[in-house]
Amino acid sequence: MVGTNFLNAKAVLGEEKLQGIADVSGEGVSTNLEKVLALEPDLIIVPNFLDAAEFEELSKIAPTVVIDYSGDIFSRLRSLSEIVGKPEQAYTRLAAG
């Protein structure tokens, strides 16, 4: 991960785990598209509650994948690991507890 919206990520990950990751937060809950563009991402992963217009703009920068945030964290971890082609890492982490 090279960038994320710190408004949401700080609550889940904390400052320590966000070291070296760019904050792409924009005004309110939106994303700063210029910051995302500057990161030159290979892939953008967004939540299913993202505004359709913002999704369209992000998808012009890099391939953009929507992930369902309505399920539990374990489902999201499995989905994310499959998107990035490392499902075995999610299963190892889930098995470890």
Side-chain angles (χ1 to χ4, degrees):
M1 178 176 9
V2 296
T4 191
N5 183 326
F6 275 35
L7 296 173
N8 298 325
K10 280 184 185 179
V12 178
L13 299 174
E15 296 275 343
E16 165 183 315
K17 291 184 180 175
L18 292 171
Q19 294 296 315
I21 298 172
D23 180 7
V24 296
S25 303
E27 188 87 17
V29 295
S30 67
T31 304
N32 184 309
L33 298 173
E34 291 79 25
K35 288 181 181 179
V36 174
L37 184 60
L39 292 172
E40 300 179 357
D42 296 323
L43 177 67
I44 300 172
I45 301 171
V46 298
N48 59 327
F49 53 81
L50 185 72
D51 178 71
E54 191 169 344
F55 174 85
E56 281 298 317
E57 292 301 314
L58 287 168
S59 66
K60 293 176 185 175
I61 296 171
T64 305
V65 177
V66 176
I67 188 162
D68 184 6
Y69 269 67
S70 64
D72 62 77
I73 187 115
F74 304 110
S75 297
R76 286 195 303 268
L77 177 61
R78 283 191 291 272
S79 295
L80 285 168
S81 69
E82 289 174 15
I83 289 168
V84 297
K86 297 185 177 189
E88 66 284 346
Q89 288 184 2
Y91 294 110
T92 300
R93 176 67 182 132
L94 291 171

